[in-house]
């Protein structure tokens, strides 16, 4: 259950839902930034409210905001992994990314313990090809994040749940002109 939820709508994808949300309009911004998200999390932590569940939509978009934040702190960087950033710290921008992600998880832990809130992190997935020990190849679903950020999320979360679409078939026409096609049946 997700009692009394509030959504941090980083993706701006909940507008059609009748829910409590904090979006970029609510914070008076043209675009979300990592600093905005931290500020909202701190407000939820320090202010009185009736919410019992926090939903972050989505954690992979938050990771992208962190990458932009790192680049903004390092003018001239072409990516958050840029060589100029690497000169600042062993591991460079990747180390900073993990520090900032850890800061988010620290606040989420405080919300869990001090405010007794349920925390739901929504993430997108991607397919990753893996090899088993016998050499067989298979695809697995992974979070659409850097491997280190994905590892932090998996370690932090109590549950990792996947929604998927359930396809079904539809036959159109009759006899030899009948045609069967697969149809996306929506998320299950």
């Amino acid at each position: 259950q997700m009692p009394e939820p509030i959504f941090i709508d980083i993706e701006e994808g909940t507008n059609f839902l009748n829910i409590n949300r904090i979006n970029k309009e609510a914070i008076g911004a043209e675009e979300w930034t990592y600093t905005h998200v931290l500020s909202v999390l701190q407000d939820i932590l320090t202010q009185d409210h009736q919410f019992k569940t926090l939903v972050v939509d989505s954690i992979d978009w938050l990771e992208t905001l962190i990458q932009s934040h790192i680049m903004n702190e390092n003018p001239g960087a072409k990516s958050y992994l840029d060589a100029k950033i690497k000169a600042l710290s062993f591991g460079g921008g990747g180390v900073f990314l993990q520090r900032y992600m850890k800061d988010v998880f620290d606040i989420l832990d405080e919300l869990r313990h001090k405010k007794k809130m349920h925390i739901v992190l929504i993430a997108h997935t991607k397919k990753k090809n893996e090899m088993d020990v016998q050499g067989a190849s298979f695809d697995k679903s992974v979070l659409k994040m850097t491997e280190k950020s994905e590892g932090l999320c998996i370690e932090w979360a109590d549950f990792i749940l996947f929604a998927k679409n359930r396809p079904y078939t539809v036959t159109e026409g009759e006899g030899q002109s009948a045609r069967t096609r697969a149809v996306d049946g929506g998320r299950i």
Side-chain angles (χ1 to χ4, degrees):
Q1 288 188 349
M2 293 186 353
E4 301 295 325
I6 180 77
F7 281 67
I8 299 179
D9 191 11
I10 298 169
E11 287 188 25
E12 302 290 323
T14 66
N15 292 334
F16 64 94
L17 299 174
N18 184 20
I19 59 167
N20 294 302
R21 78 179 59 78
I22 301 168
N23 56 20
K24 64 185 177 190
E25 288 80 21
I27 61 168
E30 288 186 31
E31 296 297 328
W32 279 99
T33 66
Y34 171 67
T35 307
H36 289 135
V37 174
L38 281 186
S39 177
V40 167
L41 289 172
Q42 284 295 337
D43 287 348
I44 294 169
L45 179 62
T46 58
Q47 295 177 6
D48 291 333
H49 54 77
Q50 79 279 11
F51 303 112
K52 296 179 182 169
T53 304
L54 171 67
V55 181
V56 177
D57 186 10
S58 70
I59 193 71
D60 50 305
W61 279 40
L62 175 55
E63 182 191 46
T64 302
L65 295 178
I66 293 171
Q67 291 170 352
S68 295
H69 180 76
I70 293 168
M71 289 175 58
N72 290 338
E73 287 186 329
N74 296 275
K78 292 181 174 73
S79 101
Y80 79 98
L81 294 173
D82 193 292
K84 293 177 184 177
I85 299 171
K86 286 183 180 178
L88 299 175
S89 166
F90 179 75
V95 170
F96 291 126
L97 177 63
Q98 299 319 301
R99 286 182 192 158
Y100 290 131
M101 287 295 288
K102 178 101 174 57
D103 290 344
V104 169
F105 287 120
D106 288 346
I107 296 171
L108 294 177
D109 277 336
E110 285 189 80
L111 286 166
R112 246 200 277 205
H113 299 293
K114 291 182 180 175
K115 293 284 189 171
K116 308 293 184 215
M117 292 184 77
H118 302 280
I119 309 295
V120 176
L121 305 176
I122 295 175
H124 298 93
T125 61
K126 61 185 177 183
K127 296 289 184 195
K128 181 178 179 187
N129 191 275
E130 295 277 327
M131 297 287 263
D132 72 13
V133 294
Q134 295 174 334
S137 172
F138 64 95
D139 285 337
K140 79 176 196 178
S141 293
V142 296
L143 301 182
K144 193 175 182 180
M145 308 174 79
T146 62
E147 284 188 34
K148 288 184 179 181
S149 292
E150 179 193 28
L152 284 173
C153 287
I154 290 170
E155 183 179 321
W156 182 85
D158 292 328
F159 302 98
I160 306 289
L161 308 171
F162 290 89
K164 70 177 213 170
N165 294 336
R166 175 179 286 170
Y168 63 93
T169 59
V170 173
T171 302
E172 299 167 337
E174 295 181 23
Q176 289 193 347
S177 65
R179 186 177 135 220
T180 302
R181 62 185 175 93
V183 177
D184 181 354
R187 290 187 179 162
I188 55 172

